[in-house]
Amino acid sequence: MTEQPTSHEGRQPLAARPQERTRPRAEAPGAPTVPTPPAQPTPPIPAGPQPQSPPLDLAGTARREGDRLRFVGAATRRIARGIDLDEIVLGLCRATVPTFSDAILVYLRDPLPVGDERPVSPFVLRLRRTDRLRLTGEEADLGNPVPVPVIDAQTDPTPAAELCEVRSGGALSEVLRGVRPVFGDSAAARAALPELLGADRAVPSGHRAILAPLRGRRRVIGAAVFLRRPDRPAFEPNDLLVAAQLATHTALGIDKAVLYGREAYIADELQRTMLPDSLPQPTGVRLASRYLPAAETARVGGDWYDAIPLPGSRVALVVGDVMGHSMTSAAIMGQLRTTAQTLAGLDLPPQEVLHHLDEQAQRLGTDRMATCLYAVYDPVSHRITIANAGHPPPILLHLGGRAEVLRVPPGAPIGVGGVDFEAVELDAPAGATLLLYTDGLVESRLRDVWTGIEQLRERLADTAQLTGPDHSPPLEALCDDVLDMLGPGDRDDDIALLAARFDGIAPSDVAYWFLEPEDAAPGRARRLARRALVRWGLEELSDSVELLVSEVVTNAVRYAERPVTLRLLRTDVLRCEVGDDSPQLPRQRRARDTDEGGRGLFLVNRLARRWGATRLSTGKVVWFELPTRA
């Protein structure tokens, strides 16, 4: 019997449900075939090429962006490594050529503003540096194109205008004020680039040039131009961001370099003014000195040296070291040095000078500490008096080559307070060399101070052996040789070095007398001076010397209560010294025609080569010098 298909009421036929996909059903054997509904007609495909959406190269884009990020990171690190202006600009050029561009031109303000200085307007941009990709001879033979047109003249050492005046309201001024980099074919850049590079300079067409302003913390300080050759892919919009990053890091680095350069200049000038410009040339001693800062980045310190002429042809030798390497240390050093010069002018004993320096350091502050060594050399007696305040001991190099560390009481540093200083008097034979130094020469992280002192002593002895037992090593060469002993790890502190070669004055070249303060003293002084000049073969100076000696002795006798001293010294000049117990210094004045006196110092000033007066603790000394040869 044939079964009728079962009708399911309430259900829609399959053809009426287009949303559902029909699944094939397995039919039972012998089941009747269900007719398949007719398929819907397929719309016809129009003839011709069909538009297709371009494939997205996501991997290539990500790779290019990653390369940009890595390039920016490496370039900014290279720029940041620079300390001074030239290093920073060179870092920008080396980082961008040829990785980012084939050529670069860097313009900076001239002069560069510093800090809060208000720059002048209109300002000038000067071409600071250029860099470009250079093709080798082999590449040129293969037909590779030459660099971009702005540097097409490879024989022209100046690829663009050297100077550019930025006029207010001009095209270049507007681009610089906008701060953001622009493509070379933009309307703003097309007007600005000829103004910057020069009207006769060609600029690459298309996106092959980028003009990037360099803005520091407060103002635009320059501009950079990036260029690419025609055979290279043009700049992309994202390259503007790269140029902006490079310009920002470069400008900030230049700002820091300018500020650092100004601070270094101020520090260097401060240190230079704190130290003597030149050493005096006192009678009977030759001097040489050296100063080395701790490092190029710390050019100021508290080390100083000095040589101060004293009455009686003596000289004070000073070396000191203030704690620290700052501007404050340099300022304290300058105050102590000035105090030492003032005390030396009073002709105080070395221990008294250190005592007053100690008091001055305490007045400057509770933490103002310094070490100092003060020595006075007398070329007539061939003796030296030394007082020490916590400083490394000096070394005396004898004529035969023996070097010895002088036994000087160490004392306490200046600034401690309540400490008595002690002075010792030692022989200073002719031909010997005294070396005063600061602890930076002998102490470092690699050696203690006494090891360094022993090494310095051995170095001096070895140097003296090279010149033989009868000759002293030249002072300048000796100082250089001493500094050569410093190794790479020995520069932890600044170094001050003062070397004194003792020549002395022979007893046969000295004449010394005591004169009673009476009316006959000037006549006796003339006779004694004449005899000494005859003995020395300087009779041609008799008239001048007798006249000047008479005038100076007359002035001394007028105010003195104790015997007046008269001393003549014959060296390369003839020096006359008259001392008395009156502290009042003579002053030159213009005498009237009716005055009977007041012309003594006028004559001394006209006839003597040099003259002066120095106050002593026991009075004063008036001296003058005459040349021994015409």
Side-chain angles (χ1 to χ4, degrees):
M1 181 174 75
T2 305
E3 295 182 357
Q4 297 296 325
T6 304
S7 171
H8 300 276
E9 296 180 358
R11 294 187 180 181
Q12 297 180 356
L14 295 176
R17 293 182 292 171
Q19 299 88 348
E20 299 179 7
R21 296 183 60 184
T22 58
R23 297 180 181 178
R25 292 181 300 175
E27 300 180 354
T33 303
V34 179
T36 304
Q40 297 293 331
T42 304
I45 300 175
Q50 300 298 315
Q52 298 180 358
S53 59
L56 297 176
D57 188 8
L58 298 179
T61 303
R63 184 171 59 254
R64 287 193 299 272
E65 293 305 318
D67 292 340
R68 281 193 181 94
L69 291 176
R70 284 189 292 272
F71 165 73
V72 171
T76 53
R77 286 193 298 271
R78 185 163 190 170
I79 294 170
R81 283 200 297 266
I83 297 178
D84 59 16
L85 185 63
D86 292 330
E87 288 180 352
I88 294 171
V89 175
L90 178 62
L92 172 64
C93 295
R94 291 291 186 263
T96 55
V97 178
T99 307
F100 182 69
S101 63
D102 296 311
I104 182 174
L105 299 93
V106 181
Y107 283 83
L108 296 179
R109 281 193 185 221
D110 186 22
L112 278 168
V114 180
D116 295 329
E117 291 182 0
R118 298 187 63 180
V120 296
S121 181
F123 60 89
V124 175
L125 293 181
R126 179 181 293 274
L127 183 62
R128 184 77 184 195
R129 186 177 181 87
T130 64
D131 205 353
R132 60 182 182 268
L133 176 64
R134 299 180 183 274
L135 299 180
T136 62
E138 181 181 354
E139 291 173 335
D141 294 340
L142 293 176
N144 286 342
V146 296
V148 288
V150 75
I151 49 174
D152 55 352
Q154 294 189 5
T155 59
D156 184 4
T158 305
E162 189 73 21
L163 291 175
C164 169
E165 182 177 332
V166 182
R167 300 182 301 273
S168 179
L172 180 58
S173 176
E174 292 301 320
V175 172
L176 296 180
R177 287 178 56 189
V179 179
R180 297 179 181 276
V182 294
F183 285 121
D185 60 347
S186 63
R190 282 199 303 268
L193 282 175
E195 184 180 345
L196 177 64
L197 306 179
D200 57 340
R201 300 290 175 174
V203 179
S205 60
H207 287 189
R208 300 191 180 279
I210 293 179
L211 173 59
L214 302 178
R215 179 175 180 82
R217 290 175 177 81
R218 294 176 177 85
R219 61 187 65 89
V220 174
I221 60 175
V225 182
F226 303 94
L227 303 165
R228 281 188 181 177
R229 297 197 310 259
D231 65 321
R232 187 171 178 177
F235 288 113
E236 300 178 3
N238 284 343
D239 289 328
L240 291 178
L241 300 178
V242 174
Q245 288 283 339
L246 298 178
T248 300
H249 282 80
T250 302
L252 294 179
I254 291 174
D255 253 0
K256 291 180 181 179
V258 172
L259 289 174
Y260 169 76
R262 173 61 62 89
E263 292 178 359
Y265 170 78
I266 294 174
D268 189 61
E269 285 299 309
L270 176 63
Q271 187 73 48
R272 195 186 307 276
T273 55
M274 293 299 181
L275 296 175
D277 292 333
S278 60
L279 293 174
Q281 300 298 325
T283 302
V285 61
R286 286 172 286 171
L287 303 172
S289 62
R290 294 290 187 274
Y291 175 81
L292 290 180
E296 287 297 322
T297 55
R299 299 188 62 84
V300 292
D303 291 16
W304 90 92
Y305 61 89
D306 214 342
I308 309 168
L310 299 177
S313 298
R314 296 170 300 150
V315 60
L317 307 174
V318 191
V319 65
D321 183 4
V322 178
M323 179 180 61
H325 309 97
S326 62
M327 302 282 276
T328 303
S329 301
I332 295 172
M333 177 265 287
Q335 292 176 309
L336 293 180
R337 178 175 176 245
T338 302
T339 304
Q341 290 178 330
T342 304
L343 296 172
L346 299 176
D347 198 25
L348 298 178
Q351 65 272 21
E352 290 296 323
V353 172
L354 295 184
H355 174 72
H356 289 292
L357 283 177
D358 180 61
E359 292 180 339
Q360 176 66 14
Q362 294 178 68
R363 285 191 291 267
L364 294 176
T366 56
D367 57 343
R368 308 311 188 194
M369 305 286 291
T371 63
C372 182
L373 192 143
Y374 189 93
V376 175
Y377 170 65
D378 189 344
V380 177
S381 63
H382 297 268
R383 303 281 289 179
I384 186 169
T385 306
I386 306 175
N388 190 12
H391 204 78
I395 298 179
L396 185 65
L397 178 63
H398 293 269
L399 184 60
R402 181 175 63 90
E404 65 169 327
V405 180
L406 297 182
R407 297 181 178 274
V408 180
I414 292 173
V416 173
V419 179
D420 292 331
F421 299 98
E422 182 181 354
V424 294
E425 187 174 354
L426 304 171
D427 288 330
T433 303
L434 183 69
L435 194 71
L436 309 180
Y437 53 91
T438 56
D439 58 355
L441 181 64
V442 294
E443 186 179 20
S444 69
R445 291 169 295 178
L446 305 180
R447 60 184 178 184
D448 62 86
V449 61
W450 288 107
T451 301
I453 292 175
E454 180 61 23
Q455 292 178 358
L456 176 59
R457 187 195 66 79
E458 294 175 355
R459 185 63 175 257
L460 291 173
D462 294 340
T463 302
Q465 294 296 330
L466 299 177
T467 58
D470 299 330
H471 298 85
S472 301
L475 274 184
E476 298 293 338
L478 181 66
C479 292
D480 293 336
D481 191 69
V482 166
L483 295 181
D484 287 342
M485 67 177 284
L486 296 172
D490 293 341
R491 290 289 301 280
D492 298 333
D493 197 358
D494 46 341
I495 298 171
L497 180 66
L498 179 63
R501 174 70 44 77
F502 300 141
D503 294 332
I505 299 177
S508 58
D509 293 329
V510 181
Y512 192 87
W513 304 278
F514 287 97
L515 304 173
E516 292 296 332
E518 54 189 14
D519 294 340
R524 182 166 181 262
R526 289 194 296 269
R527 292 191 300 272
L528 294 174
R530 187 186 312 116
R531 293 173 188 173
L533 294 177
V534 171
R535 185 170 70 251
W536 292 334
L538 300 176
E539 295 89 344
E540 67 275 8
L541 299 179
S542 294
D543 293 339
S544 299
V545 171
E546 290 183 34
L547 176 61
L548 299 183
V549 165
S550 178
E551 293 293 340
V552 176
V553 171
T554 299
N555 187 73
V557 169
R558 181 178 304 172
Y559 301 100
E561 297 180 357
R562 298 179 181 179
V564 175
T565 60
L566 171 63
R567 185 166 74 168
L568 297 181
L569 302 174
R570 183 187 66 166
T571 56
D572 54 340
V573 297
L574 180 67
R575 182 182 177 97
C576 174
E577 299 173 351
V578 177
D580 60 75
D581 59 348
S582 174
Q584 183 178 359
L585 297 180
R587 298 185 182 276
Q588 182 181 352
R589 65 182 181 89
R590 182 176 296 275
R592 293 174 296 183
D593 295 339
T594 57
D595 291 342
E596 296 182 0
R599 297 178 178 83
L601 290 182
F602 178 78
L603 293 175
V604 174
N605 185 63
R606 294 297 299 269
L607 297 179
R609 191 180 75 170
R610 292 196 312 154
W611 76 278
T614 305
R615 183 179 285 111
L616 307 178
S617 58
T618 58
K620 67 175 180 294
V621 169
V622 180
W623 57 269
F624 63 85
E625 292 178 351
L626 293 172
T628 56
R629 297 180 181 85

